[in-house]
Every structure is written in structure tokens, then in C-alpha cells.
Amino acid sequence: MNVLLIGGTSEIGLAIVQRLAGDGPVRACLLGRDRDRMAASSVALDLDAECDLLDAEALEEHEGVIARAFARAGGFDIVVLAVGVLGGQAGLDADRAESIRVMRVTFPGSASLLLAALGALRRQGRGALVVLSSAAVERPRAGNAVYGAAKAGLDSLAQGLADSLAGSGVRVLVVRPGFVRTRMTAELTPPPFATTADAVAQATVEGLAGRAHTIWVPGVLRYVFAALRHLPRPIYRRLPL
Ligand SMILES: NC(=O)c1ccc[n+]([C@@H]2O[C@H](COP(=O)([O-])OP(=O)(O)OC[C@H]3O[C@@H](n4cnc5c(N)ncnc54)[C@H](OP(=O)(O)O)[C@@H]3O)[C@@H](O)[C@H]2O)c1
């Protein structure tokens, strides 16, 4: 199986590739900003992988980088889009320049990569695109307004385009994890229902084996966030989320 990981140093993305490799031989292509770290990860995880450079903020390069990866590998069965930046946990108080970087990487940058990857999958007429979204897209909150807004844009794009793929042989799986203990959240106190990269990887592989279009990790968050969505605002804003 050929797997393309966009965000080649992502802990969750690498856990997904590793989990897929546990089910059978995988040839991986890792795309990211740091060739040395990608190479070190593939050695540490014993992956058969090649790496290429990609900057999510260099939108004009995306089509070329993705097209080259597809051509080199002879196509991909699964593409995982795992690029994202969390940024500081503040709403109106957030640093403006940092907020713009978070949004640029997490929405326009990731959306451009999503479009390039889906275009390539459509041309080959088969395959699955896994989009790492977030449970945060269900309802914005003060602490993660910037990241949540950017992820909501990406999630919405993925959901809409997924519907346009019916009958094309290509599918999109949107993965909405809650808090995952990775380097992205290393500075934060884990809230209830915090999970691990391995748990996200296992749920993603199970989702790919079935017919799901959207999964929450852990699964109970589907119901937790459905309830939170309707909570009156004065109560919602006081929750320790
Ligand atoms: N951890 C969580 O709690 C959580 C929860 C829900 C959803 N997610 C989402 O899951 C995905 C993976 O997150 P993770 O936990 O595995 O965190 P991570 O290890 O920090 O992964 C984030 C990835 O985004 C890449 N990236 C950031 N800016 C980039 C840029 N300008 N160009 C290219 N790549 C860039 C990072 O590359 P560098 O190594 O070069 O920075 C890294 O590969 C993200 O989309 C994240 O938003 C995470």
C-alpha cells in the first residue's frame, strides 16, 4: 500500500502510517519542512519511507510537490493531511501575527494541500484522503477561537467536497480528535477525554476499513459535542474546555 503523509513530522500522522504498516507492507512518502526530522522518524518507526520538502504557507508550490510525489510513487492508496498549528490559547488577546500564521497554515495552506491531493486522487480515480480536523470545529470557544475557526473552515471544505466525490472511487474521511497528547499540546493540561496519537491512528484505520465519512476520537465526543453545541452560552463559556 502506498501512503502519502502531508505533515511528515506529525505525531498523529506518523502513528497512522505506522498503524497501517502493522496491517501489511506500506511504502510511505513524507512531505514536510524538515527532511532530517522526517528521515529520523522513519528510521525510528522502521518505515519504508521517502521524504520531500513542503511548506504549507507556500501555496503556489503545493500542486507541483503533490504531483511529483504521486508521479514518483505511481499513485497513493491513502493520503493523510496532518498539517496544523495550534498557536497560543487566547482569543482576543492572542498575538495578531501569530494568529495570522496559525490561520494561514491551518486553513488556506491546508485547504490548498487538500485541493491538490484530492485533484491527484480524482485523476487516478481511486484512493482515500484522511483530513485531520478537530472536535473544536463543533463550537468555537474563547480559548481556541483562532485555531477553531481555521479548522472549521478546513472541516467544512472537506465535508462539502466529500459529497462531490460520490461515484468517483475517491473518498474523504474527516477525523475529529479531541485533545491528543502530542508535542502540539505538550504545554497544556489535558482535559477530560484526552487521548493519544495511537488511539487516533487506530480509530482512523478502523474508519478507513468501514464506510464512515466523519469520526470523533474518542467516539464519545460525537455525543459530548452534540450536547455542548446546544448549551446556553453563559454556561458554555464557563466550562473548563
Ligand atoms: N494534538 C491535538 O490535540 C490535536 C487535536 C485535534 C486535531 N489535531 C490535528 O492533528 C494534526 C496533527 O497534529 P499533531 O498532534 O500530530 O501535531 P504535530 O506533531 O505538531 O503535527 C503538526 C504538523 O503540521 C506541520 N506544519 C506546521 N506548520 C507547517 C508549515 N508551515 N508547513 C508544513 N508543515 C507544517 C508540522 O511540521 P513541523 O514539524 O515542521 O512543525 C507537523 O508535521 C494537525 O492538523 C492538528 O491540528 C491535533
Side-chain angles (χ1 to χ4, degrees):
M1 176 189 288
N2 283 359
V3 179
L4 174 63
L5 174 58
I6 308 175
T9 52
S10 154
E11 280 186 47
I12 295 175
L14 287 164
I16 293 171
V17 178
Q18 198 181 19
R19 177 71 58 161
L20 288 167
D23 291 343
V26 162
R27 274 180 59 219
C29 173
L30 312 181
L31 298 181
R33 294 189 289 188
D34 188 328
R35 200 184 282 280
D36 290 345
R37 273 199 293 132
M38 289 189 287
S41 297
S42 45
V43 171
L45 300 177
D46 198 20
L47 294 175
D48 173 11
E50 62 171 44
C51 315
D52 203 358
L53 292 175
L54 169 87
D55 185 343
E57 294 192 69
L59 272 63
E60 65 290 348
E61 295 174 8
H62 291 172
E63 278 223 314
V65 176
I66 300 284
R68 273 197 303 280
F70 269 76
R72 259 198 325 267
F76 290 103
D77 303 288
I78 296 172
V79 179
V80 180
L81 177 56
V83 167
V85 183
L86 183 59
Q89 294 292 287
L92 270 181
D93 304 330
D95 175 84
R96 186 172 175 280
E98 174 63 0
S99 298
I100 289 170
R101 187 181 77 88
V102 167
M103 288 191 281
R104 201 166 20 215
V105 170
T106 310
F107 187 33
S110 294
S112 160
L113 290 163
L114 182 153
L115 291 172
L118 262 189
L121 287 170
R122 271 195 104 116
R123 280 190 289 283
Q124 73 176 18
R126 63 181 179 87
L129 173 64
V130 175
V131 179
L132 265 306
S133 175
S134 166
V137 304
E138 282 278 0
R139 186 171 180 179
R141 47 178 213 272
N144 72 354
V146 173
Y147 172 79
K151 278 291 189 197
L154 183 70
D155 189 289
S156 193
L157 179 70
Q159 300 282 355
L161 290 179
D163 285 337
S164 75
L165 292 167
S168 70
V170 178
R171 67 183 276 219
V172 173
L173 175 63
V174 176
V175 179
R176 292 178 172 172
F179 185 105
V180 188
R181 291 186 203 87
T182 65
R183 72 192 161 112
M184 180 178 270
T185 55
E187 311 283 296
L188 306 174
T189 308
F193 305 116
T195 188
T196 63
D198 280 341
V200 179
Q202 181 170 346
T204 301
V205 171
E206 285 168 8
L208 284 168
R211 297 161 61 92
H213 55 79
T214 307
I215 57 168
W216 279 253
V217 192
V220 67
L221 288 187
R222 176 190 294 262
Y223 308 104
V224 172
F225 275 86
L228 287 178
R229 209 186 169 100
H230 300 287
L231 217 56
R233 190 171 283 240
I235 300 173
Y236 182 69
R237 69 167 175 255
R238 288 188 178 84
L239 294 179
L241 293 170

